[in-house]
């Protein structure tokens, strides 16, 4: 496994990260344990989750699977999503973050989180409040580093410059959807990351399965398959064309299209880790 430095931190993470949105939904406790143990054996140390995945079950199952081997994993979880009813039970306020970090620590069965990520920008909370809260959590030892997720180029820039002005810790990562079929981050987010020394971790690196081969999109399971079932916008004709060209090149060069897509993504500037979401050991091994 290849390891890469995360932003301006000293933290090294695996180039392939383990996405866990399936844990607690398609994978039960035992299946989650099997996938995590195999991922660790293959050298993956980056385990990416969120407090909202499967209503907290993803974090809970990860915590159980990592008992006795916590030091082998870099746990990256998230906060922002609504977890219960009430006006203060969502977003990036001090109130919500300080409550949810305790809930995540409890579910994960750990006393620290390696990388705590702001899941979504929150237009209702000043970025100063969010950054000061995260800085406090670092100083308290509850989190080691913090990150952004789905922040645009200008939002990332605002966060970094505000942290500099306040004299608080700065984010080390922005996590975004990025793949051969989803290249919007190259317009502003990648240049901003390069300018301010942040890394990118990338979810949907295979565009929800589209870049695994056209046949993969016809499965009844798989991340982006839901896009073809009325729950999302579906793939554009341009994205399908990219997938078809990739499949043609893969056949010509003797490589599965998923291998080419992941290798391309990991060659791009600022990219530290591609977050895959395997549903079984076979998919995990194929992607690694």
């Amino acid at each position: 496994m290849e390891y890469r430095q995360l932003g301006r931190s000293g933290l090294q993470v695996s180039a392939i990260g383990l996405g866990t949105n399936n844990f607690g939904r398609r994978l039960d406790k035992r299946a989650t344990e099997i996938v995590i143990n195999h991922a660790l054996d293959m050298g993956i140390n980056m385990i990416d989750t969120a407090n909202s995945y499967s209503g907290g079950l993803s974090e809970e199952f990860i915590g159980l699977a990592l008992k006795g081997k916590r030091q082998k994993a870099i746990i990256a979880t998230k906060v922002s999503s609504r977890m219960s009813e009430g006006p203060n039970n969502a977003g990036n306020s001090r109130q919500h973050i300080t409550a949810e970090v305790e809930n995540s620590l409890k579910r994960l069965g750990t006393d620290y989180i390696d990388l705590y990520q702001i899941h979504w920008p929150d237009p209702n909370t000043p970025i100063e409040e969010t950054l000061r809260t995260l800085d406090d959590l670092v100083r308290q030892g509850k989190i080691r580093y913090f990150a952004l997720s789905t922040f645009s180029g200008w939002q990332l820039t605002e966060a970094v410059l505000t942290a500099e002005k306040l004299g608080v810790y700065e984010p080390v990562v922005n996590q975004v959807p990025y793949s051969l079929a989803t290249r919007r981050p190259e317009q502003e987010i990648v240049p901003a990351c390069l300018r301010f020394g942040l890394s990118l971790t990338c979810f949907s690196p295979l565009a929800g399965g589209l870049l695994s081969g056209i046949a993969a999109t016809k499965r009844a399971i798989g991340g982006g398959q839901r896009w073809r079932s009325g729950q999302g916008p579906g793939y554009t004709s341009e994205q399908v064309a990219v997938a078809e060209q990739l499949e043609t090149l893969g056949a010509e060069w003797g490589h599965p299209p998923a291998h080419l897509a992941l290798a391309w993504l990991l060659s791009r500037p600022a990219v530290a880790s591609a977050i895959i979401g395997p549903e079984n050991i076979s998919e995990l091994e194929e992607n690694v």
Side-chain angles (χ1 to χ4, degrees):
M1 178 59 64
E2 176 187 342
Y3 299 92
R4 299 180 174 194
Q5 187 170 345
L6 210 56
R8 291 177 176 171
S9 76
L11 196 62
Q12 300 284 322
V13 298
S14 49
I16 296 293
L18 182 64
T20 64
N21 204 5
N22 290 321
F23 296 176
R25 293 194 303 150
R26 297 189 182 97
L27 279 70
D28 62 17
K29 182 170 65 175
R30 177 56 182 156
T32 295
E33 183 180 14
I34 290 171
V35 170
I36 286 179
N37 284 337
H38 202 67
L40 294 175
D41 289 343
M42 298 184 79
I44 290 177
N45 69 352
M46 177 76 159
I47 300 179
D48 184 84
T49 186
N51 62 344
S52 59
Y53 290 175
S54 304
L57 277 180
S58 177
E59 287 184 330
E60 183 180 331
F61 288 179
I62 290 168
L64 292 171
L66 289 178
K67 278 191 175 180
K69 58 193 77 140
R70 171 66 180 90
Q71 73 284 357
K72 294 184 177 181
I74 301 298
I75 297 177
T77 193
K78 306 181 189 76
V79 64
S80 291
S81 299
R82 177 166 295 283
M83 296 299 291
S84 61
E85 293 301 318
N88 295 307
N89 294 328
N92 301 332
S93 68
R94 178 176 291 272
Q95 171 75 20
H96 185 63
I97 291 173
T98 53
E100 282 304 312
V101 73
E102 298 296 340
N103 293 334
S104 287
L105 288 168
K106 182 177 180 180
R107 285 191 291 263
L108 289 164
T110 184
D111 57 2
Y112 69 95
I113 293 165
D114 299 280
L115 185 67
Y116 202 43
Q117 303 167 100
I118 297 300
H119 207 160
W120 320 102
D122 175 9
N124 297 315
T125 301
I127 191 66
E128 291 88 349
E129 177 177 337
T130 301
L131 292 169
R132 287 191 186 278
T133 304
L134 294 168
D135 183 76
D136 288 344
L137 293 178
V138 173
R139 297 179 190 280
Q140 293 166 11
K142 294 180 179 180
I143 67 176
R144 297 279 173 85
Y145 305 92
F146 70 86
L148 312 173
S149 174
T150 67
F151 273 53
S152 66
W154 76 263
Q155 290 168 326
L156 181 160
T157 299
E158 180 189 35
V160 172
L161 294 181
T162 301
E164 289 181 356
K165 181 183 71 174
L166 296 175
V168 299
Y169 284 104
E170 299 176 18
V172 297
V173 165
N174 191 21
Q175 184 174 113
V176 295
Y178 188 15
S179 70
L180 266 171
T182 309
R183 299 183 64 172
R184 183 173 294 179
E186 294 174 352
Q187 296 175 8
E188 293 184 355
I189 294 173
V190 171
C193 284
L194 293 173
R195 169 63 179 82
F196 295 112
L198 278 74
S199 290
L200 284 174
T201 57
C202 309
F203 66 89
S204 295
L206 299 176
L210 178 67
L211 301 178
S212 296
I214 296 298
T217 65
K218 297 179 173 60
R219 297 183 308 166
I221 58 175
Q225 176 63 18
R226 63 185 181 275
W227 297 348
R228 289 179 175 268
S229 61
Q231 299 183 40
Y235 300 117
T236 66
S237 57
E238 290 82 4
Q239 288 175 316
V240 172
V242 167
E244 290 172 343
Q245 292 174 11
L246 186 67
E247 196 159 24
T248 299
L249 289 173
E252 180 181 337
W253 296 342
H255 293 285
H259 291 188
L260 296 179
L262 288 171
W264 175 86
L265 180 61
L266 291 170
S267 76
R268 305 308 297 164
V271 172
S273 189
I275 309 298
I276 61 171
E279 297 176 358
N280 52 55
I281 295 300
S282 176
E283 288 185 5
L284 173 64
E285 291 180 339
E286 177 67 15
N287 286 330
V288 172

